[in-house]
Amino acid sequence: MYGSRAALEDVSFSLEDGGFLVVLGPNGAGKTTLLKTLARLVRPSAGRVWLGGEDWLSAPAERQREIGVLSHATYLYDGLTALENLRFFATLYGIRAVDARAREALATVGLEDAAERRVGHLSRGQAQRVAIARAVLHDPPLLLLDEPYAGLDPRAARRLSEALDGLHAVGRTVVLTTHDLARAPVAATRYLVLVEGRARSEGKLPAGDLEAVYERAVAAAGG
């Protein structure tokens, strides 16, 4: 709840292990609130989240390592190189072989050549990929991505999609929000459309036109 207004209401979906859910909706639809709830950054006034057969919202704090989160902020330090940033976060996670793991995470997103460049000198797309490397440093099985394409040009968006495809291909479960239908990842297996905090359509990604499914859901909500 935000004051007397429900940010999310009657939202329900399921996602299999290794699945890829794309959450669609206009700005203000509740996409970020949904991801914050899944990340346990906010607590809902009602409802439950089940993860691995357990009530996720009541699960022990140590289970937080099972998720990696990318929000609107990268949480990277501009004055440090990409590698120095990842070494720092790897240390916070208590990861052994810090340097090796940091380099491995950079390779995962195709940025080995940028390891010694300061983040403040990287393009928006490159910094976003370093942020994804940060989110997967501790090898979480679930990755939560909030509007990762925001501010990216077509080339950077394409490189980001390639990195996400690779992360999903190794078995990670992914939940990604976007308001841009054109950038709904090809690897996505399910979709959820939110409008004004409510789930208006949900299911397996249609073989046909996702845009038509989205437009019908928005129209049915009076949007």
Side-chain angles (χ1 to χ4, degrees), residues 36-60:
K36 284 183 176 180
T37 301
L38 297 179
R40 304 203 294 189
L41 298 177
V42 298
R43 295 193 66 84
S45 54
R48 290 187 177 183
V49 177
W50 294 93
L51 181 64
E54 185 176 355
D55 183 350
W56 174 237
L57 300 179
S58 301

Side-chain angles (χ1 to χ4, degrees), residues 95-105 136-139 172:
I95 294 172
R96 297 180 180 180
V98 166
D99 188 75
R101 180 56 192 144
R103 292 181 183 277
E104 181 183 356
V136 301
L137 265 175
H138 55 301
D139 198 25
R172 274 195 183 84

Side-chain angles (χ1 to χ4, degrees), residues 60-146:
E62 55 265 26
R63 287 198 65 192
Q64 200 72 11
R65 293 180 65 91
E66 296 178 28
I67 64 172
V69 180
L70 177 68
S71 66
H72 292 172
T74 65
Y75 297 111
L76 299 173
Y77 295 93
D78 287 348
L80 299 180
T81 67
L83 186 59
E84 287 169 341
N85 267 280
L86 296 185
R87 285 171 175 159
F88 171 71
F89 285 104
T91 301
L92 293 182
Y93 279 122
I95 294 172
R96 297 180 180 180
V98 166
D99 188 75
R101 180 56 192 144
R103 292 181 183 277
E104 181 183 356
L106 275 178
T108 298
V109 296
L111 280 178
E112 305 98 310
D113 294 343
E116 303 302 334
R117 294 178 59 190
R118 292 187 180 183
V119 166
H121 295 165
L122 298 178
S123 69
R124 166 69 178 168
Q126 289 172 325
Q128 194 76 317
R129 282 190 283 153
V130 176
I132 291 176
R134 172 194 55 74
V136 301
L137 265 175
H138 55 301
D139 198 25
L142 173 60
L143 191 56
L144 306 174
L145 307 167
D146 191 16

